[in-house]
Amino acid sequence: MKAKIIDGKLIANQIKTELIQEIEKLEIRGFTPGLATVLVGEDPASNAYVRMKEKMCDEIGIQNFGYRLSGNTTENELLKLVDDLKNDHKVHGILVQLPLPKQINEQNVINAIPVFKDVDGFHPTNWGKMMIGEESFLPCTPAGIQELLIRSGYSPENKNVVIVGRSKIVGLPLANILIQKAPGANATVTVCHSKTQNLAEHTKRADILIAAIGIPEFITADMIAENSIVIDVGVNRVEAPEKKRGYRLVGDVNFEAVAKKAKAISPVPGGVGPMTIIMLMRNTVKAMKMANKL
Ligand code: NDP
């Protein structure tokens, strides 16, 4: 293998240490950040994500308020909970794990989260602020990808970045973040999607290729440029009867083949995933500081 591994776990751990130190100092002054985590229904992947977030809260000193609602919860019931959390001074950030069951309109719930507690960065006001480069809560996965690139020495500045995927949680906000006239951004960004013609022509022009597609091992070695940087956002469960849990996790990039050609690559798991979680923690600390004008 030629490519250097971009170790998201290691970098997330560095940020974790920084946050622990910051939270300890805040504690001495009498401030404790609080995050409410709301899970509706029993989706196993969502359940696993929420548990990881709650565990991280415990590890770094963020007070966690976990809410588990049944899959039959109505939109009004969820909106009522969000409203209660809005007025709870111990709760600085509200995370409602997506996707929500069909009977609930996700956008209505996102809109109900107060902008200053929107640590997932999905509220339209935070989107608007992100677009015009104003201080805001950035969505965790895109913010984590930017941080991962910067801290691993592959800043997107002046680079041709090609993103495959235009979802509201990854591709679209990431493109916005990386084209900002700002340090750690200033990239020339191309966004590809399922309607893109001749996809490989675009991906082969990337200095930095970011795959957020949701199709296992979709990006193959012939689609990338020699010595490019590859960030694999995908988390796909692939059947693996030999594993105790019956599946294994693979990314959107054919890791083995691409790692022989790329200069650096982020693995799955252990790449973008840990960065997403630590960015949520960082946003929660930021929300607490904003709430207390610190
Ligand atoms: P979505 O399904 O919302 O979006 C997928 C995107 O890929 C769409 O824009 C779609 O295009 C595009 N796409 C689909 N097929 C093709 C194709 N054949 N060629 C080019 N583009 C294509 O997925 P998400 O953005 O939510 O997630 C993507 C992956 O990232 C998933 O594996 C998910 O699990 C993972 N993920 C990981 C996170 C982490 O923390 N590590 C966080 C969030 C997601 P179109 O818009 O035209 O449909």
Side-chain angles (χ1 to χ4, degrees), residues 49 141 164-171 192-196 199 211-215 218 232-236 250 252 272-274 276-277:
Y49 288 137
T141 302
V164 189
R166 57 174 165 182
S167 76
K168 284 193 263 182
I169 58 168
V170 190
C192 303
H193 45 76
S194 69
K195 305 287 188 286
T196 300
L199 180 65
I213 311 157
I215 304 178
F218 181 86
D232 190 351
V233 188
V235 180
N236 308 293
V250 299
D252 289 348
V272 173
T276 298
I277 296 175

Side-chain angles (χ1 to χ4, degrees), residues 54-255:
E54 292 175 341
K55 184 166 169 270
M56 187 59 78
C57 281
D58 289 345
E59 286 172 12
I60 71 169
I62 290 180
Q63 198 173 2
N64 176 244
F65 305 89
Y67 293 86
R68 297 287 185 276
L69 307 185
S70 92
N72 306 321
T73 302
T74 64
E75 188 175 313
N76 277 338
E77 285 166 339
L78 181 55
L79 289 173
K80 168 79 175 66
L81 172 61
V82 170
D83 196 52
D84 291 345
L85 295 172
K86 181 175 164 179
N87 299 315
D88 186 336
H89 295 301
K90 285 192 177 151
V91 171
H92 303 102
I94 303 173
L95 172 114
V96 179
Q97 184 67 38
L98 303 180
L100 290 168
K102 283 191 286 296
Q103 72 276 16
I104 301 175
N105 180 316
E106 269 180 15
Q107 197 59 49
N108 288 347
V109 176
I110 291 168
N111 293 352
I113 295 173
V115 175
F116 54 92
K117 293 193 181 187
D118 173 38
V119 286
D120 241 349
F122 293 151
H123 190 285
T125 301
N126 277 323
W127 266 78
K129 288 183 173 201
M130 171 179 72
M131 287 204 62
I132 60 173
E134 255 188 31
E135 185 69 29
S136 65
F137 292 110
L138 295 179
C140 301
T141 302
I145 293 167
Q146 184 188 33
E147 194 76 32
L148 186 63
L149 285 167
I150 295 170
R151 292 202 185 216
S152 55
Y154 304 112
S155 169
E157 296 254 358
N158 316 323
K159 295 290 189 289
N160 285 324
V161 175
V162 177
I163 303 169
V164 189
R166 57 174 165 182
S167 76
K168 284 193 263 182
I169 58 168
V170 190
L172 202 53
L174 180 61
N176 262 297
I177 291 169
L178 298 186
I179 55 167
Q180 290 295 318
K181 200 167 186 174
N186 286 317
T188 302
V189 179
T190 304
V191 184
C192 303
H193 45 76
S194 69
K195 305 287 188 286
T196 300
Q197 299 293 299
N198 305 319
L199 180 65
E201 280 181 23
H202 295 283
T203 55
K204 274 193 273 191
R205 276 202 292 268
D207 301 316
I208 300 174
L209 177 65
I210 300 168
I213 311 157
I215 304 178
E217 305 185 326
F218 181 86
I219 301 290
T220 47
D222 57 331
M223 293 171 78
I224 72 151
E226 193 83 42
N227 291 324
S228 52
I229 311 302
V230 179
I231 301 292
D232 190 351
V233 188
V235 180
N236 308 293
R237 288 184 178 197
V238 174
E239 255 184 66
E242 76 281 4
K243 295 253 179 195
K244 207 169 119 197
R245 58 186 180 182
Y247 67 88
R248 66 193 168 93
L249 293 181
V250 299
D252 289 348
V253 175
N254 184 324
F255 183 87

Side-chain angles (χ1 to χ4, degrees), residues 24-31 294:
E24 277 171 1
K25 285 191 195 135
L26 289 164
E27 279 284 347
I28 293 168
R29 298 167 65 191
F31 298 104
L294 298 177

